[in-house]
Amino acid sequence: QVQLVESGGGLVQAGGSLRLSCTASGSIFSFNTMGWYRQAPEKQRELVVGITSGGYTKYVDSVKGRFTISRDNAKNTVTLQMNSLIPEDTAVYYCYIKAGGTWYGKVDYWGRGTQVTVSP
């Protein structure tokens, strides 16, 4: 079992910044991918960004240049710095971890989610 604990999120005005963090504990796969999905009301959950334990990253086009993900393998922590936020970024953000280095496919564990709200 793996547990994911998220922190960060909240309410910010458009143009502002927020930081999300997620720490994994338990039986963590030695080679894994962590990152964030998000789900806005009445929309499907979408992959926002992922980072492999080797440091390879993938961003959805809509956040490129605004969001930056980093990870500390020693602490099993990923951090998402979100800048220049826009109302369309409003969603519940879910931390995830999956075995291996693929971007899509089955997610092994999810965090509980944290709300990000961007006001106009």
Side-chain angles (χ1 to χ4, degrees):
Q1 289 287 328
V2 176
Q3 294 77 42
L4 298 173
V5 177
E6 301 149 327
S7 62
L11 172 64
V12 67
Q13 287 188 327
S17 298
L18 287 173
R19 178 178 295 179
L20 306 181
S21 293
C22 176
T23 298
S25 61
S27 301
I28 301 168
F29 322 107
S30 57
F31 180 45
N32 62 72
T33 302
M34 295 182 69
W36 301 88
Y37 276 72
R38 68 185 178 188
Q39 187 165 19
E42 301 181 355
K43 291 189 176 181
Q44 288 190 330
R45 191 173 295 192
E46 67 167 349
L47 175 64
V48 178
V49 60
I51 184 168
T52 70
S53 46
Y56 291 98
T57 59
K58 178 177 178 62
Y59 295 86
V60 68
D61 286 346
S62 61
V63 307
K64 286 180 180 177
R66 302 188 297 120
F67 291 11
T68 302
I69 192 169
S70 60
R71 71 182 288 167
D72 183 335
N73 288 332
K75 297 181 179 179
N76 295 313
T77 297
V78 292
T79 300
L80 181 62
Q81 179 66 41
M82 304 185 292
N83 298 328
S84 302
L85 285 159
I86 58 178
E88 290 75 14
D89 294 320
T90 296
V92 177
Y93 284 68
Y94 296 92
C95 179
Y96 76 93
I97 187 169
K98 62 192 302 286
T102 60
W103 303 120
Y104 300 103
K106 178 182 177 290
V107 169
D108 292 286
Y109 296 96
W110 295 97
R112 297 183 67 177
T114 185
Q115 178 70 46
V116 170
T117 303
V118 184
S119 62

